[in-house]
Amino acid sequence: MLKASLSHNFSHTSFVFRGFPELQNLHRLLAFPFSASYLTVLLGNSLLVYVISSVESLHSPMYLLICTLCVVDILVVTAILPNMLLNLLFGWDEISLAGCLTQMFFTHFLSSVESTLLLAMAVDRYVAICLPLRYTEIINSSTSVKLLLFTLVRSVSIMATLVSLADSLQFCGSNVIQHFYCDHMALVSLACDSTDKSNAAGLAVIVCFVGVDIPLIFLSYMKILSVVLRAAAAGEDRLKAFHTCSTHLMVIMCFYLVGSLTFLSHNLNIPIPTGVNTLMGLMYILFPATVNPIIYGVRTKEIQNGFFRIFNLKPKKIKTLKTVAAEKGQM
């Protein structure tokens, strides 16, 4: 009994990452695809930020939101990938409790900011397409300041509470984190005292972000799609509108669904293998950061034109040839 009491009074001050332990011998090989992903995120998002900031015609609310999203993507990936690559390449797998809590805060804080940005972008497009005459009245500098304050208050307060609850726990058992970064539940699951408050905080995060943001984003895109499909006369325009909205929604849903599963797997006792949960935790950060420059940048005509203008390139012009129907004969 005395031994158990002494053990409970002891708490680890450092932790060891053990991501993909079954692939321990292949860690150096795994470093290559993740290095390529990190480089792609840095190049793609940095290029988009440069184009938007350099072209004056792109200094509108929608493109500034895209620019901010790119910056957040770079920061959130940088919060975990460099340490992870050092782990894979050189076996540097140890982190202090303070470092772990700091990484946890910034990772989840930046992810929550991304959620708010996706919601803001959906609302911006809804106002621009469904309420075009009131766009400048609704979307202005005052709205931007309110959005910034709302994002900071919501994200900082919730994530600070999450981290402070984790900091109050005692870690007297294993100090091995089955992940490549300090995910909230990966750390909390190691605690040797009650984690009810931390579990409740985790559920609150899902309710505040997934439960609020997802319905509003989905509703905005449905309204946008409805208006665009009614206005589009040509079948090609209808198909393009549907493809754009569905692509955006698929990427957004992937971000929320994978993030929610990894966040709640411990709370709801979802039987997800450790390796799969680790991969999902990485993809939830990496996948959006990799594809967002393509979804919101490359496929946007105004940004394409800005890119061509900056680098003195001329977009290829596709010429269409009209053919004469066979029954009318050839000239």
Side-chain angles (χ1 to χ4, degrees), residues 27-40 81 85 286:
H27 273 193
R28 290 193 175 183
L29 288 177
L30 289 175
F32 287 102
F34 285 111
S35 297
S37 297
Y38 186 39
L39 186 61
T40 302
L81 254 293
L85 292 175
L286 275 174

Side-chain angles (χ1 to χ4, degrees), residues 91-232:
W92 297 357
D93 54 6
E94 192 169 334
I95 190 170
S96 66
L97 176 59
C100 186
L101 293 172
T102 301
Q103 186 185 55
M104 181 196 301
F105 173 79
F106 282 107
T107 302
H108 294 313
F109 167 73
L110 291 167
S111 294
S112 66
V113 170
E114 180 159 353
S115 175
T116 308
L117 287 172
L118 291 173
L119 172 60
M121 289 165 65
V123 172
D124 178 90
R125 289 300 84 198
Y126 166 76
V127 175
I129 293 172
C130 302
L131 304 169
L133 299 179
R134 298 188 59 197
Y135 182 80
T136 54
E137 175 189 344
I138 298 173
I139 308 298
N140 50 42
S141 56
S142 175
T143 306
S144 300
V145 172
K146 291 176 183 177
L147 173 64
L148 177 61
L149 291 175
F150 169 73
T151 302
L152 291 177
V153 170
R154 183 171 77 152
S155 298
V156 170
S157 59
I158 293 175
M159 296 311 163
T161 302
L162 203 69
V163 171
S164 63
L165 287 173
D167 185 35
S168 66
L169 297 172
Q170 294 288 316
F171 302 97
C172 51
S174 173
N175 71 331
V176 176
I177 297 176
Q178 299 292 338
H179 217 312
F180 278 112
Y181 66 93
C182 281
D183 177 71
H184 174 253
M185 290 315 303
L187 177 64
V188 169
S189 63
L190 300 178
C192 53
D193 47 6
S194 175
T195 60
D196 290 344
K197 291 182 180 179
S198 290
N199 292 340
L203 289 172
V205 169
I206 298 301
V207 171
C208 288
F209 292 97
V210 179
V212 174
D213 294 1
I214 273 281
L216 291 176
I217 291 173
F218 187 78
L219 181 62
S220 296
Y221 273 102
M222 290 302 99
K223 289 283 187 181
I224 291 169
L225 192 58
S226 175
V227 170
V228 171
L229 291 181
R230 285 202 306 267

